[in-house]
């Protein structure tokens, strides 16, 4: 609870508050605030510990607290059962109980820590109100630290409460295409491609281009495979229309132009996720175009695969080998079909709810990069970061990703009630 300054002064790290502090500041745990075992006191059903101190700051409603108390009771029961004699348990039952304990612990462990922080917050507030100026300043510093820790615990709890999407653990297929704006849109498309590459490097992900239609720094279209644990869960909110406002290098009069680039992030699917029948595919081969050496325009190495039931068509001519181009085209097709089915389920599940964060439909303007103001604004959550250079080099993009994730989780939590 106490920081280094408190410990240096009194050198008695008795948790949570030693007798000296209790006598000096008349600290107590009032019955109407706290009950036994970290629950609201009797007669105060639904009351939140330290409620007045976290009013307007907590993301957890009384109804969520009630759910957490039920989970805590379940966790304590499982822990007691597994701590006793387990010889009478079969292998399957033991494995099930252990898994339940582990899964419930992801929520209950931070919840127990949260209850401790509520106690600390009440006691620190009593120090602040004591009138002693010296200790008041120290208590205020510790109070802010407690509030920050409470916010972190609540985020862990919310993350544990929300249903998990198995696709979030997978890799991703990243598609970037220049939109309106001509050459400037193609230049910014290349900038975004490099931004995601640098961001992937900071995360330790594998970044592998599958298809690239580019000339110099101008990128008309790029498809990239990003592999690593939890890639899609991090990048899933990048889908949408990215708008840039800046003075193009070709602009002689210094006027600011607006261009757009579309970004689509698809969960990387495997054969396990979705089955594609050979009879549902039409494969066309043709001669590749553009720069590429002696094989271009001389051999039928380019491949176009059409999924007949859905009409989805994918083509690839990046490789010299027809076989390799077909493999890459199938990889993209599989990801698109998987995402299509996933979007269908998502739409059915949330059709009655207006999500704060968009689904990534290309008609949505999700983010603006304003070079003159050194600003990046995500319009879905009305969040601005004045570090455009840091975002574009991949070092500050995580700040925006975190805000999107937090807001999405809060929105999901509100839907759960």
């Amino acid at each position: 609870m106490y920081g280094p300054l408190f410990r240096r002064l009194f050198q008695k790290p008795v948790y949570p508050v030693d007798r000296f502090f209790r006598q000096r500041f008349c600290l107590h745990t009032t019955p109407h605030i706290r009950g036994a075992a970290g629950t609201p006191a009797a007669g105060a059903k639904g009351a939140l510990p330290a409620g007045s101190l976290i009013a307007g700051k907590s993301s957890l409603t009384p109804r969520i607290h009630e759910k957490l108390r039920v989970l805590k009771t379940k966790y304590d029961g499982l822990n007691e059962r597994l701590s006793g004699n387990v010889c009478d348990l079969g292998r399957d039952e033991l494995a099930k109980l252990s898994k339940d304990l582990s899964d419930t612990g992801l929520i209950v462990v931070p919840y127990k820590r949260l209850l401790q922080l509520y106690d600390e917050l009440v006691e620190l507030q009593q120090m602040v109100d004591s009138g002693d100026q010296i200790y008041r300043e120290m208590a205020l510093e510790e109070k802010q630290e407690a509030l920050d820790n409470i916010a972190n615990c609540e985020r862990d709890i919310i993350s544990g409460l929300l249903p998990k999407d198995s696709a979030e653990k997978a890799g991703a297929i990243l598609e970037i295409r220049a939109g309106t704006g001509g050459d400037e849109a193609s230049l910014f498309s290349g900038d975004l491609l490099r931004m995601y590459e640098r961001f992937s490097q900071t995360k330790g992900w594998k970044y592998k281009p599958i298809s690239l239609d580019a000339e110099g720094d101008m990128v008309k279209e790029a498809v990239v495979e990003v592999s690593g644990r939890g890639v899609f869960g991090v990048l899933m909110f990048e889908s949408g229309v990215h708008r840039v406002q800046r003075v193009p290098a070709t602009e002689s009069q210094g006027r600011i132009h607006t261009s757009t680039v579309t970004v689509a992030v698809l969960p990387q699917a495997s054969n396990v996720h979705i089955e594609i029948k050979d009879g549902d595919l039409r494969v066309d081969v043709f001669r590749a175009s553009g720069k590429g050496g002696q094989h271009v325009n001389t051999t039928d190495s380019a491949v176009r695969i059409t999924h007949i039931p859905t009409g989805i068509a994918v083509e690839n001519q990046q490789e010299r080998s027809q076989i390799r181009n077909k493999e890459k085209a199938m990889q993209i097709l599989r990801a698109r079909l998987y995402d299509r089915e996933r979007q269908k389920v998502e739409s059915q599940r949330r059709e009655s709810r207006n999500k704060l964060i968009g689904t990534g439909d290309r008609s949505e303007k999700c983010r603006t990069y304003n070079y003159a103001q050194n600003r990046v604004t995500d319009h879905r959550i009305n969040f601005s970061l004045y570090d455009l250079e840091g975002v574009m080099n991949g070092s500050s993009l995580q700040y925006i990703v975190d805000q999107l994730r937090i807001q999405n989780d809060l929105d999901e939590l509100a839907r759960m009630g």
Side-chain angles (χ1 to χ4, degrees):
M1 167 183 170
Y2 299 108
L5 187 53
F6 268 105
R7 288 194 289 270
R8 285 199 302 270
L9 283 173
F10 300 100
Q11 298 179 355
K12 289 185 64 179
V14 178
Y15 181 83
V17 180
D18 67 16
R19 185 176 300 174
F20 172 82
F21 280 118
R22 291 189 179 276
Q23 291 176 347
R24 181 170 182 81
F25 295 108
C26 301
L27 297 182
H28 58 280
T29 304
T30 53
H32 70 281
I33 293 179
R34 301 291 292 168
T39 61
K45 185 176 180 180
L48 297 182
S52 62
L53 301 178
I54 59 173
K57 300 176 183 178
S58 176
S59 305
L60 305 181
T61 64
R63 186 174 176 182
I64 296 298
H65 272 278
E66 185 62 36
K67 292 181 180 180
L68 292 171
R69 286 192 287 273
V70 173
L71 286 174
K72 179 178 178 295
T73 301
K74 176 183 177 181
Y75 177 83
D76 292 340
L78 289 169
N79 205 13
E80 182 178 356
R81 180 70 180 93
L82 291 172
S83 298
N85 185 8
V86 295
C87 296
D88 58 332
L89 296 177
R91 179 182 300 178
D92 293 341
E93 185 179 2
L94 181 61
K96 182 180 182 302
L97 291 175
S98 298
K99 185 178 186 303
D100 287 345
L101 180 67
S102 176
D103 293 342
T104 310
L106 294 176
I107 303 172
V108 174
V109 170
Y111 177 58
K112 287 185 173 182
R113 173 59 179 152
L114 185 68
L115 296 179
Q116 294 174 350
L117 288 167
Y118 283 156
D119 278 334
E120 295 177 9
L121 190 62
V122 171
E123 293 169 343
L124 284 167
Q125 184 60 45
Q126 291 171 356
M127 293 182 190
V128 172
D129 297 337
S130 67
D132 192 309
Q133 186 62 29
I134 296 177
Y135 299 112
R136 183 178 185 276
E137 293 179 359
M138 291 187 290
L140 281 173
E141 181 180 344
E142 296 292 331
K143 178 184 174 183
Q144 185 57 53
E145 182 180 342
L147 288 172
D148 292 341
N149 289 334
I150 286 173
N152 291 333
C153 279
E154 288 190 355
R155 281 197 289 269
D156 291 340
I157 291 169
I158 291 171
S159 176
L161 284 172
L162 294 178
K164 300 296 185 295
D165 186 346
S166 59
E168 293 188 23
K169 299 179 181 180
I173 299 294
L174 178 66
E175 299 182 352
I176 301 175
R177 292 179 176 85
T180 58
D183 289 346
E184 172 62 11
S186 296
L187 287 170
F188 186 60
S189 181
D191 292 339
L192 288 184
L193 184 64
R194 286 183 287 275
M195 178 187 76
Y196 290 120
E197 181 177 11
R198 291 162 184 161
F199 181 64
S200 299
Q201 291 172 351
T202 66
K203 307 291 287 186
W205 297 335
K206 186 178 179 181
Y207 189 88
K208 180 182 178 183
I210 296 177
S211 177
L212 183 63
D213 182 4
E215 185 173 346
D217 292 333
M218 293 189 294
V219 176
K220 293 183 179 180
E221 179 179 323
V223 180
V224 179
E225 176 188 356
V226 187
S227 303
R229 183 172 178 81
V231 172
F232 182 71
V234 176
L235 295 180
M236 59 190 295
F237 299 122
E238 293 300 300
S239 293
V241 177
H242 294 238
R243 183 177 69 174
V244 60
Q245 295 174 327
R246 65 183 178 185
V247 179
T250 56
E251 172 59 51
S252 59
Q253 299 182 17
R255 293 176 296 185
I256 295 178
H257 289 222
T258 299
S259 304
T260 62
V261 172
T262 61
V263 175
V265 181
L266 312 175
Q268 191 172 354
S270 67
N271 291 322
V272 177
H273 291 129
I274 189 167
E275 180 182 357
I276 302 176
K277 299 179 180 178
D278 292 339
D280 291 339
L281 300 178
R282 183 177 70 246
V283 181
D284 301 311
V285 295
F286 56 96
R287 294 186 178 182
S289 60
K291 300 177 181 179
Q294 62 181 354
H295 288 269
V296 174
N297 294 321
T298 60
T299 61
D300 292 333
S301 59
V303 175
R304 181 188 299 109
I305 301 178
T306 303
H307 186 250
I308 299 174
T310 61
I312 297 176
V314 177
E315 64 180 55
N316 192 77
Q317 60 177 18
Q318 188 71 13
E319 303 290 337
R320 293 184 176 184
S321 165
Q322 183 185 115
I323 296 176
R324 288 290 297 149
N325 281 329
K326 183 178 179 181
E327 290 176 353
K328 290 191 173 184
M330 281 298 298
Q331 184 180 17
I332 300 172
L333 177 63
R334 189 175 292 113
R336 290 185 183 177
L337 288 173
Y338 178 52
D339 187 62
R340 182 176 183 272
E341 291 302 312
R342 186 176 167 277
Q343 291 287 350
K344 184 187 299 183
V345 173
E346 184 86 357
S347 176
Q348 293 172 351
R349 183 166 67 92
R350 301 176 180 176
E351 60 183 358
S352 61
R353 174 169 156 259
N354 182 18
K355 293 193 67 183
L356 176 65
I357 294 178
T359 61
D361 185 87
R362 288 172 174 80
S363 63
E364 297 179 354
K365 177 185 68 177
C366 70
R367 191 175 299 159
T368 293
Y369 304 76
N370 188 300
Y371 277 67
Q373 300 177 11
N374 189 36
R375 170 177 57 86
V376 180
T377 298
D378 199 290
H379 303 285
R380 296 164 292 184
I381 56 175
N382 195 27
F383 174 77
S384 293
L385 183 64
Y386 290 85
D387 183 18
L388 188 143
E389 182 179 354
V391 172
M392 297 308 294
N393 65 30
S395 61
S396 298
L397 181 59
Q398 186 65 49
Y399 292 119
I400 301 177
V401 171
D402 289 342
Q403 293 301 316
L404 287 164
R405 168 57 67 181
I406 290 171
Q407 191 59 62
N408 179 75
D409 288 352
L410 291 176
D411 197 36
E412 289 277 4
L413 193 65
R415 185 182 66 84
M416 291 172 57

